[in-house]
């Protein structure tokens, strides 16, 4: 398994947000006014918004903002609940960074999922992280007890099949 991940970057110069920021700059709007406009329109709460704007303008490389591109790589992943399409897992990362992952595996029982999680934490954390950024599958909405829980990532049966053979 290769360990390269193409991080999802909303503020990349070639995205809609990046092009909008560049358009404002071309219209003569100052960087501080652009930052204020982006904060107002996106609701981005971070103190690092200026870094993201500078990146969109091509003034900073992606490496300078990678720590802001969430979700961060999780350090653990655990079973949250069984779903009709498989299992909802919770990936927990540095600090309070966590996200939900849908393990699409209708035929796996609790015991097999527990063994998979016990034996392949690092690989599953990486797959959850990679798939969250690269969109495989992405943004699966799950309704539970009147509220929506969103899986930001998914792991397919094909992703884990080689682990089950061991």
């Amino acid at each position: 398994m290769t360990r390269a991940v193409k991080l999802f970057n909303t503020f990349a110069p070639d995205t809609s947000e990046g092009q909008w920021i560049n358009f404002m700059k071309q219209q003569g709007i100052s960087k501080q006014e652009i930052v204020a406009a982006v904060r107002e329109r996106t609701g981005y709460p971070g103190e690092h918004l200026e870094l993201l704007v500078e990146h969109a303008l091509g003034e900073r490389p992606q490496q300078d903002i990678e720590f802001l591109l969430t979700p961060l790589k999780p350090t653990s992943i655990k079973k949250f609940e069984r779903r009709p399409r498989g299992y909802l897992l919770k990936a927990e990362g540095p600090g309070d960074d966590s996200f939900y992952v849908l393990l699409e595996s209708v035929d796996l029982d609790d015991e097999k999922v527990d063994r998979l999680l016990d034996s392949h934490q690092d690989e599953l954390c990486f797959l959850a992280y990679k798939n969250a950024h690269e969109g495989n599958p992405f943004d699966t909405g799950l309704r539970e007890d009147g509220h929506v829980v969103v899986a930001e990532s998914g792991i397919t049966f094909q992703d884990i099949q080689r682990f089950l053979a061991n």
Side-chain angles (χ1 to χ4, degrees), residues 115-125 163-164 166:
R115 276 197 316 264
L116 179 70
L117 291 169
D118 287 342
S119 302
H120 300 284
Q121 272 288 305
D122 187 56
E123 294 93 339
L124 294 172
C125 284
F163 304 138
L164 299 173
N166 298 337

Side-chain angles (χ1 to χ4, degrees), residues 96-164:
D96 61 355
D97 190 51
S98 67
F99 60 99
Y100 292 99
V101 180
L102 180 63
L103 174 61
E104 293 184 308
S105 57
V106 179
D107 294 334
L108 289 182
D109 60 28
D110 282 334
E111 187 178 309
K112 286 181 184 174
V113 171
D114 290 340
R115 276 197 316 264
L116 179 70
L117 291 169
D118 287 342
S119 302
H120 300 284
Q121 272 288 305
D122 187 56
E123 294 93 339
L124 294 172
C125 284
F126 177 76
L127 284 169
Y129 172 65
K130 179 177 179 18
N131 291 346
H133 282 282
E134 295 181 0
N136 178 29
F138 190 80
D139 211 25
T140 306
L142 303 171
R143 188 139 201 89
E144 182 63 32
D145 296 336
H147 69 281
V148 175
V149 177
V150 176
E152 292 183 43
S153 179
I155 298 174
T156 65
F157 185 76
Q158 184 177 355
D159 288 334
I160 61 167
Q161 199 167 10
R162 67 181 177 275
F163 304 138
L164 299 173

